[in-house]
Amino acid sequence: MSAIRLLVLGAVRQHGRAHGYQVRNDLEYWGAHEWSNAKPGSIYHALKQMAKQGLLLAHEIAPSTAGGPPRTEYEITEAGTEEFLNLLRSNLVSYDQRPDMLSAALGFIVDLPRGEAVELLKQRVAGIEEWRRSVTEYYTPEEGPEQLGHIGEIMNLWVHTADGGVEWTRGLIKRIEGGAYTFAGEGEPFVGVLAEGEENPYATGEAHAEDDR
Amino acid sequence: MSAIRLLVLGAVRQHGRAHGYQVRNDLEYWGAHEWSNAKPGSIYHALKQMAKQGLLLAHEIAPSTAGGPPRTEYEITEAGTEEFLNLLRSNLVSYDQRPDMLSAALGFIVDLPRGEAVELLKQRVAGIEEWRRSVTEYYTPEEGPEQLGHIGEIMNLWVHTADGGVEWTRGLIKRIEGGAYTFAGEGEPFVGVLAEGEENPYATGEAHAEDDR
DNA sequence: CCGCCCGTAGTCAAACTTGACTACAGATCC
DNA sequence: GGATCTGTAGTCAAGTTTGACTACGGGCGG
């Protein structure tokens, strides 16, 4: 599963009630089109799908004042909130070497209580280390790692990446434990959504690096 | 585009002529099902698709001796080889933060001459550094990075990952320049394929880490 | 000697993703 | 004042991915 469901659920949740274009705009504001598959088609598809599955509630709305086709507004349901929290927690904990998942979860990490966030991140570290141990053992032939030839470099890459992931996670834990950011139940939350009509300072980024995708 | 095309093209190419199940087995031998979308459906789909596009040549074959439905064998074409090399080169150079792409390319890096491999990896380093520069500039608001709140951690993660990528790539360059591995035109190549009937020492890995995917 | 499981080989429908496209209202420019 | 541009909102067909399923032959236990 991709990061799209978490992103869309989280965006709708932050608005309370949102139509597709609003979600699309938020995700662009977060730069999500750069590090995830948050393209129009995927977003609208996810909205419809999750509405069908009872995670969102769809309201048909009269055509907007600002031109274009009739809109549909979505609201998150009980089940949707539960799914959102499940996705959020599991993406924070699990090491699946998919950066988009982690990035998406990171964007909503403050929706959890501070203590839980730290706890989950510690589990993440433990998980990565366990993965590292098992993978290095498993893929080391008896005749020594030379037997793998250049294929061994793939494992080398994984391990290097895993180590970097541990280091980064440890840093984040320290920052959170040190009091950074505002978490659930700590008053005025940080909201990364655009107010109606606010301009997007990070609008579609032709301005910066073409990243050769 | 995913890593599947490169993996399948490369596997067929190493065999000279292969049927789907052989490719599927090779990819499992390389552990590709763990770090890419190399599942049966995707593999057979890719084979058919690329045959339709003229990158592979399909031969209908009599049912195998070992039971099961009639097989199709594939051979790589001129166009397929060209595509293979293009994919290989571009995946080595471009930093798209998708580890599966890089891993796949790494598996075939020795199909290039040593000098070219080094050159491409150096381009990779340059590309990552350029990306890092542009991203840190672009996403730093005038009021200082605190304005981003916890969202800034996403960028932090990217940058950390990019730095790790540079470090790892530099290490690989050094190893290659130091004479490691056997590259194209240097005699007896390393082949990571299973001979007919050889058992797979890394068979489907229930044995090691469940990675919570 | 027969029912059952295992390995070989591949298919299929359902879901998801992609990128290009439509449609409309207001602003802008000669 | 009409042509064209821009921003809003979403659709669509084509392609891809997934996970479960089919089909067949051989070996093996009872």
Side-chain angles (χ1 to χ4, degrees):
Chain A
M1 202 183 309
S2 76
I4 194 79
R5 292 170 77 95
L6 176 57
L7 286 170
V8 169
L9 279 174
V12 170
R13 201 176 102 105
Q14 283 192 347
H15 276 290
R17 200 181 226 246
H19 52 91
Y21 194 68
Q22 241 162 13
V23 171
R24 184 174 163 183
N25 252 359
D26 275 8
L27 297 190
E28 186 176 326
Y29 177 49
W30 301 340
H33 55 288
E34 302 230 326
W35 46 262
S36 79
N37 57 337
K39 328 210 169 168
S42 298
I43 293 169
Y44 289 107
H45 173 73
L47 283 169
K48 277 185 186 156
Q49 198 62 19
M50 294 196 296
K52 210 162 71 182
Q53 291 169 4
L55 305 181
L56 295 177
L57 238 167
H59 306 272
E60 299 294 329
I61 293 294
S64 94
T65 60
R71 305 180 298 181
T72 308
E73 287 197 333
Y74 295 90
E75 223 174 336
I76 195 164
T77 65
E78 198 84 11
T81 304
E82 204 175 315
E83 172 77 351
F84 168 73
L85 290 173
N86 285 345
L87 285 175
L88 176 50
R89 291 187 179 113
S90 79
N91 285 325
L92 280 176
V93 169
S94 90
Y95 179 59
D96 54 5
Q97 50 278 67
R98 285 178 50 180
D100 57 330
M101 290 292 196
L102 179 56
S103 296
L106 214 45
F108 301 115
I109 193 173
V110 294
D111 288 345
L112 297 171
R114 186 178 298 265
E116 186 180 359
V118 168
E119 183 48 40
L120 293 173
L121 290 172
K122 283 182 176 167
Q123 279 179 43
R124 179 182 185 79
V125 169
I128 302 179
E129 283 175 340
E130 168 58 22
W131 174 88
R132 185 196 204 285
R133 196 168 19 253
S134 88
V135 123
T136 46
E137 254 172 48
Y138 191 70
Y139 277 94
T140 304
E142 295 114 34
E143 302 88 358
E146 307 80 33
Q147 288 306 307
L148 286 175
H150 69 285
I151 298 289
E153 288 290 350
I154 296 180
M155 198 189 83
N156 195 315
L157 170 61
W158 297 348
V159 169
H160 196 279
T161 308
D163 290 347
V166 165
E167 194 189 309
W168 174 84
T169 310
R170 289 232 167 86
L172 178 58
I173 290 174
K174 226 165 243 161
R175 288 191 287 282
I176 295 179
E177 281 180 333
Y181 315 121
T182 308
F183 283 76
E186 301 180 348
E188 208 55 38
F190 176 92
V191 279
V193 296
L194 291 165
E196 200 86 31
E198 184 185 350
E199 106 188 71
N200 181 353
Y202 307 126
T204 328
E206 301 310 329
H208 77 296
E210 67 299 330
D211 44 10
D212 273 336
R213 213 176 274 254
Chain B
M1 202 183 307
S2 75
I4 193 79
R5 293 169 77 95
L6 176 57
L7 286 170
V8 169
L9 279 174
V12 171
R13 201 175 102 105
Q14 284 193 347
H15 276 289
R17 199 179 225 246
H19 52 92
Y21 194 69
Q22 239 161 14
V23 171
R24 184 175 162 181
N25 253 356
D26 275 8
L27 296 190
E28 186 177 324
Y29 177 50
W30 301 341
H33 55 289
E34 301 230 327
W35 46 262
S36 78
N37 57 338
K39 327 206 169 173
S42 299
I43 294 169
Y44 289 107
H45 173 73
L47 283 168
K48 277 185 187 158
Q49 199 63 18
M50 293 195 296
K52 211 163 69 182
Q53 294 170 1
L55 305 182
L56 295 176
L57 237 166
H59 306 272
E60 300 294 330
I61 293 294
S64 95
T65 59
R71 306 180 296 181
T72 309
E73 287 197 333
Y74 295 90
E75 222 175 336
I76 196 164
T77 64
E78 198 85 13
T81 303
E82 204 175 316
E83 173 76 351
F84 169 75
L85 291 173
N86 284 345
L87 284 174
L88 176 51
R89 292 189 178 110
S90 80
N91 284 325
L92 281 176
V93 169
S94 91
Y95 177 60
D96 53 8
Q97 27 314 42
R98 285 178 49 179
D100 58 328
M101 291 292 197
L102 178 56
S103 295
L106 214 45
F108 300 114
I109 192 172
V110 294
D111 288 345
L112 297 171
R114 187 179 296 266
E116 185 179 1
V118 168
E119 181 49 41
L120 293 172
L121 290 172
K122 283 182 176 167
Q123 279 179 44
R124 179 182 185 81
V125 168
I128 301 179
E129 283 175 339
E130 168 58 22
W131 174 88
R132 187 196 202 286
R133 199 170 16 255
S134 89
V135 124
T136 46
E137 254 172 46
Y138 189 70
Y139 278 94
T140 303
E142 296 115 33
E143 303 89 0
E146 307 79 34
Q147 288 305 307
L148 285 175
H150 70 283
I151 296 291
E153 289 290 351
I154 297 179
M155 198 188 84
N156 195 314
L157 169 62
W158 297 348
V159 170
H160 196 279
T161 308
D163 290 347
V166 166
E167 195 188 309
W168 174 83
T169 309
R170 287 232 168 88
L172 178 58
I173 290 174
K174 224 163 247 163
R175 287 191 287 283
I176 295 179
E177 281 180 333
Y181 315 120
T182 308
F183 283 76
E186 300 180 348
E188 209 55 38
F190 176 92
V191 278
V193 297
L194 290 165
E196 201 84 32
E198 184 184 353
E199 109 191 68
N200 181 353
Y202 307 126
T204 328
E206 302 309 330
H208 76 299
E210 69 295 332
D211 44 10
D212 273 338
R213 215 176 272 255

